[in-house]
Amino acid sequence: MKLNIALLAGDGIGPEVIDQAVKVCDAIATKFNHEINWRPALTGAAAIDAVGDPYPDETHEICATSDAVLFGAIGHPKYDNDPSAKVRPEQGLLRMRQKLGLFANVRPTFTFPSLIDKSPLKRERIEGTDLVFLRELTGGIYFGKRGRKDNRDTAFDTCTYTRKEVQRLAKKGFEMAQKRSKRLCCVDKANVLESSRLWRETVQAMEKDYPDVEVSYEFVDAVAMRLVQWPSEYDVLITENLFGDILTDEASVISGSMGLMPSASIGESIALYEPIHGSYPQAAGKDIANPLATVLSAAMLFDGFNLSDEAEAIRKVVNESLSEGMVTEDLSEGGKAYKTSEVGDWLAQNI
């Protein structure tokens, strides 16, 4: 198979972890007789510095005409620490999601046998955890009307959803549940919010089309609590943009490190794959960042093309690297810490 992949390294540690994912993907391509054409493009603070736009038209054209996008991270302290900045890296990310139609964020959470005792939660609470969130990504409060009034002393952000937006995300959730344990949880705040009541009634109306899926409905605050208590009780969860943003970060630390969890953002015609961590500017250029979340995101990319053997080969070598202690400083705990590039080289060589 020939794949044209847009490569958006972004800011901070983004270029370093992306480099390791490219090494691994190229090794997979050699092993399984594929051809990957990497198509680099600017985004985030790097794009602002270069052309004044966090998501330039040229970058969008490259993404829109590729088979998939592999993305690093965006963000820079000079924008984080300036509330008055008119242009921000995150604006480019939101615009990219909107223009590419990336409406479903897929965020798995699972544990690694060799790292289970590194989790902040007790072993007996997290063993067997294998859940996935589908977060709606192009609607809700992040895209609603916002502003200031009363001489800027009052601020408002509006959460708006349409039934169609809920249906297309829920459809992905039902279909994913059918391929897993046939359990789906709709996360909302229907006891308070009208937008959540729309979510709940829409999903309830869809249940008849998926009679093999057991559906539950839980308030977001209850889910936040149960993710800490018994995360293994969940399988597939669907929710709106803001709730999903918060809950997926909470779930990510179950594994022991945010540097381990991959994600995908899926549209009707293209998907983007990225680690869940940020740009970690304090580590930029030091060759110490954990590349495994980005490498596992590349595994999800191969899954997206139904290349399951290729994806499994990546997951297998990542598990081997963890078992053998071929890890960066965030996971070394007093043992030898390897550089980002050394981990990438080891993964590629062992594929």
Side-chain angles (χ1 to χ4, degrees):
M1 181 179 286
K2 181 175 181 178
L3 300 172
N4 293 304
I5 308 297
L7 195 65
L8 276 57
D11 309 319
I13 62 170
E16 297 168 64
V17 294
I18 280 287
D19 282 349
Q20 313 322 309
V22 168
K23 291 176 187 176
V24 169
C25 289
D26 285 344
I28 288 290
T30 299
K31 181 180 178 70
F32 290 90
N33 196 31
H34 301 304
E35 180 182 344
I36 300 177
N37 175 32
W38 298 106
R39 307 178 72 197
L42 289 170
T43 191
I48 296 174
D49 291 343
V51 298
D53 185 340
Y55 185 59
D57 289 342
E58 181 181 354
T59 296
H60 176 67
E61 180 63 20
I62 288 173
C63 291
T65 57
S66 296
D67 298 312
V69 180
L70 187 61
F71 181 74
I74 60 165
H76 194 282
K78 68 182 177 183
Y79 299 101
D80 296 339
N81 299 327
D82 182 6
S84 63
K86 301 299 183 186
V87 181
R88 296 178 176 276
E90 294 76 14
Q91 292 171 340
L93 185 59
L94 293 177
R95 199 185 328 148
M96 177 169 60
R97 291 170 179 169
Q98 206 164 33
K99 292 183 73 172
L100 292 176
L102 305 176
F103 65 87
N105 181 230
V106 182
R107 287 274 293 263
T109 294
F110 46 86
T111 56
F112 300 86
S114 60
L115 298 180
I116 199 160
D117 291 320
K118 295 184 187 296
S119 172
L121 301 182
K122 295 178 181 178
R123 170 187 285 264
E124 59 266 26
R125 292 195 179 275
I126 64 172
E127 278 185 320
T129 296
D130 181 12
L131 61 86
V132 59
F133 272 95
L134 269 77
R135 164 192 168 195
E136 201 289 322
L137 207 55
T138 57
I141 199 167
Y142 292 167
F143 291 91
K145 185 178 180 181
R146 68 192 61 185
R148 296 280 188 99
K149 60 183 181 179
D150 300 333
N151 199 30
R152 296 185 62 79
D153 289 336
T154 301
F156 62 92
D157 297 274
T158 308
C159 181
T160 302
Y161 270 108
T162 65
R163 195 177 303 276
K164 182 179 178 181
E165 287 174 318
V166 179
Q167 286 171 334
R168 68 180 179 178
L169 184 88
K171 181 175 184 290
K172 293 284 187 185
F174 275 109
E175 292 171 348
M176 184 172 290
Q178 287 179 317
K179 295 176 182 177
R180 291 169 57 97
S181 69
K182 295 180 170 55
R183 290 183 294 127
L184 179 70
C185 178
C186 177
V187 184
D188 59 35
K189 192 65 176 170
N191 58 335
V192 176
L193 301 178
E194 191 63 35
S195 57
S196 282
R197 286 190 274 272
L198 174 69
W199 271 78
R200 186 169 291 210
E201 70 182 46
T202 301
V203 176
Q204 287 174 335
M206 297 174 70
E207 285 188 40
K208 65 182 185 302
D209 298 322
Y210 304 91
D212 56 331
V213 177
E214 177 187 347
V215 185
S216 62
Y217 300 86
E218 293 190 34
F219 297 144
V220 60
D221 41 353
V223 174
M225 179 179 65
R226 289 187 62 202
L227 279 175
V228 175
Q229 292 178 310
W230 304 112
S232 61
E233 294 294 308
Y234 291 113
D235 186 43
V236 179
L237 304 96
I238 57 173
T239 192
E240 59 104 75
N241 207 339
L242 175 61
F243 297 162
D245 192 0
I246 297 167
L247 290 175
T248 52
D249 276 0
E250 180 192 9
S252 71
V253 299
I254 291 171
S255 68
S257 171
M258 281 190 72
L260 292 170
M261 290 292 106
S263 76
S265 297
I266 299 172
E268 297 293 351
S269 59
I270 195 168
L272 176 147
Y273 301 88
E274 63 178 312
I276 68 166
H277 59 67
S279 61
Y280 192 15
Q282 302 89 334
K286 297 180 181 179
D287 204 18
I288 61 172
N290 187 344
L292 295 184
T294 312
V295 171
L296 290 169
S297 297
M300 291 184 74
L301 183 151
F302 284 108
D303 273 330
F305 292 105
N306 295 316
L307 300 173
S308 56
D309 289 343
E310 290 82 342
E312 189 54 37
I314 294 176
R315 296 187 183 103
K316 179 174 181 290
V317 78
V318 165
N319 273 304
E320 289 171 355
S321 73
L322 293 170
S323 297
E324 296 186 24
M326 175 54 65
V327 295
T328 45
E329 64 177 26
D330 60 313
L331 296 175
S332 61
E333 282 199 357
K336 179 173 174 55
Y338 292 88
K339 295 183 180 298
T340 308
S341 54
E342 291 175 328
V343 173
D345 289 340
W346 190 93
L347 294 170
Q349 289 162 9
N350 280 273
I351 286 171

